[in-house]
Amino acid sequence: MKTFSALLAGIILSSVATTALAADNPLSVHVLNIQTGQPSQGVDVELERRTDTGWELLATATTDEGGRISALYPADETFISGVYRVTFETGEWFEAHDTDTFFPNIPVPFQVDDTEQHYHVPLLLSPYGYSTYRGS
């Protein structure tokens, strides 16, 4: 059995590793279920960039137990200015939780002007409403 000190050290190292990963990546998301007040684990998320010919898929990921994806932008891609879209696949998530919803997915387009900044897109979610904003 691990001691409290060993468990605490593991939590701190995990938190530091997640923070370092997020600091190295220009984009993160967070989904909170405002009906339950809990993070929304297991939400599939797509990241796209608008091009002259339409939307280019850059990445897909799934929120972790804290409702987060701390590094959504592909590590091998240069972060460039432009219009991006994060789409949260909320219909599938609500279906998996045996809950009806009005929103099969929630697309959130946003503008990147300064590629030196970190962009955080939180989603506050309920079956019949949502809110989003530029977080930090």
Side-chain angles (χ1 to χ4, degrees):
M1 177 180 246
K2 290 185 176 182
T3 66
F4 177 74
S5 298
L7 288 172
L8 184 58
I11 291 168
I12 291 170
L13 287 175
S14 175
S15 177
V16 168
T18 300
T19 301
L21 183 60
D24 292 342
N25 194 282
L27 179 64
S28 59
V29 300
H30 190 196
V31 183
L32 291 171
N33 182 340
I34 59 175
Q35 184 177 15
T36 64
Q38 297 297 310
S40 299
Q41 178 180 5
V43 177
D44 292 331
V45 179
E46 293 183 345
L47 171 64
E48 300 167 290
R49 180 175 45 227
R50 189 171 65 191
T51 68
D52 292 338
T53 59
W55 291 98
E56 173 190 9
L57 181 64
L58 297 177
T60 60
T62 303
T63 57
D64 65 14
E65 62 279 349
R68 297 178 183 275
I69 300 170
S70 60
L72 184 55
Y73 200 82
D76 59 345
E77 285 275 332
T78 301
F79 192 43
I80 60 174
S81 297
V83 176
Y84 290 81
R85 178 170 64 191
V86 173
T87 302
F88 299 90
E89 296 299 335
T90 52
E92 295 172 6
W93 186 83
F94 277 117
E95 184 178 338
H97 290 85
D98 199 28
T99 302
D100 292 333
T101 183
F102 185 68
F103 302 103
N105 60 45
I106 298 172
V108 180
F110 59 97
Q111 175 75 39
V112 169
D113 291 320
D114 183 353
T115 60
E116 296 299 313
Q117 291 187 18
H118 179 84
Y119 292 80
H120 182 64
V121 182
L123 178 68
L124 304 175
L125 178 63
S126 76
Y128 295 98
Y130 66 90
S131 178
T132 187
Y133 57 95
R134 172 148 187 216
S136 59

